[in-house]
Amino acid sequence: MFTIEPVQPADKFEILVAKTGHQMIATRVAGPMQARDFERLDDSSVQDMLTLVEASRPGPFSVRTNKLGDYLGIRVGGHLIAMAGERMKLEGFTEISAVCTHPDHRGHGYAHDLVSAVAQAVLDRGESPFLHVFSDNLPAIALMSVSDSRSAERCT
């Protein structure tokens, strides 16, 4: 649950994560840092996607999450080392999801270039890309900031 104000859970519920986050909506996308070969990830890539999620912890991602939208990835030496894709869709909006890079491969601009490609595809469809990000995820906030986005809401 995302809320503007903190809430007390009902008796049978437990708070698993309580962090401040932002919903960022892009109106323009920064171009890629360099030309890259992206792989369109499909059902045959699910195990690789789950392995990457386990190593990088981008947030909720499960066996069928890839069915919610298009996902792109980057492989090095046959290993999936970075990915990003689409998840929640509302009329005129698509959420960018599962933006992650394996810890051993960070600092090369992979997430920037993947988000650029995914967000541009969303914009090309006439929709607005948005991203949910925890307030302490400064790299993701910086990435969306160079993409001419605005923080639509602060939530807990």
Side-chain angles (χ1 to χ4, degrees):
M1 169 192 302
F2 294 99
T3 66
I4 303 300
E5 299 295 329
V7 296
Q8 282 299 111
D11 289 339
K12 294 186 179 189
F13 291 92
E14 174 185 356
I15 295 175
L16 299 177
V17 176
K19 294 175 79 173
T20 301
H22 298 274
Q23 182 182 75
M24 301 184 78
I25 302 171
T27 56
R28 180 181 58 82
V29 178
M33 295 172 70
Q34 67 182 59
R36 299 191 193 271
D37 290 325
F38 298 126
E39 176 184 334
R40 187 162 304 280
L41 302 174
D42 58 21
D43 289 345
S44 67
S45 302
V46 168
Q47 189 54 55
D48 292 341
M49 296 167 87
L50 293 170
T51 299
L52 177 58
V53 164
E54 181 67 28
S56 59
R57 305 271 187 213
F61 191 92
S62 190
V63 175
R64 295 179 46 83
T65 302
N66 70 307
K67 300 281 193 192
L68 298 175
D70 294 328
Y71 281 82
L72 300 177
I74 298 173
R75 291 186 186 270
V76 171
H79 298 282
L80 183 63
I81 55 98
M83 72 173 180
E86 304 172 0
R87 186 172 52 187
M88 185 171 22
K89 295 177 187 260
L90 307 164
E91 187 173 337
F93 296 89
T94 296
E95 178 187 25
I96 297 175
S97 171
V99 179
C100 57
T101 302
H102 190 283
D104 294 342
H105 295 275
R106 292 183 178 154
H108 300 285
Y110 297 136
H112 177 281
D113 292 350
L114 283 161
V115 169
S116 177
V118 173
Q120 189 60 58
V122 172
L123 287 169
D124 289 349
R125 293 194 306 258
E127 300 171 357
S128 296
F130 69 98
L131 177 71
H132 288 117
V133 58
F134 287 126
S135 298
D136 61 357
N137 188 344
L138 299 180
I141 291 171
L143 173 61
M144 288 299 282
S145 295
V146 299
S147 297
D148 193 22
S149 66
R150 61 184 172 85
S151 183
E153 196 62 70
R154 186 170 179 253
C155 50
T156 304

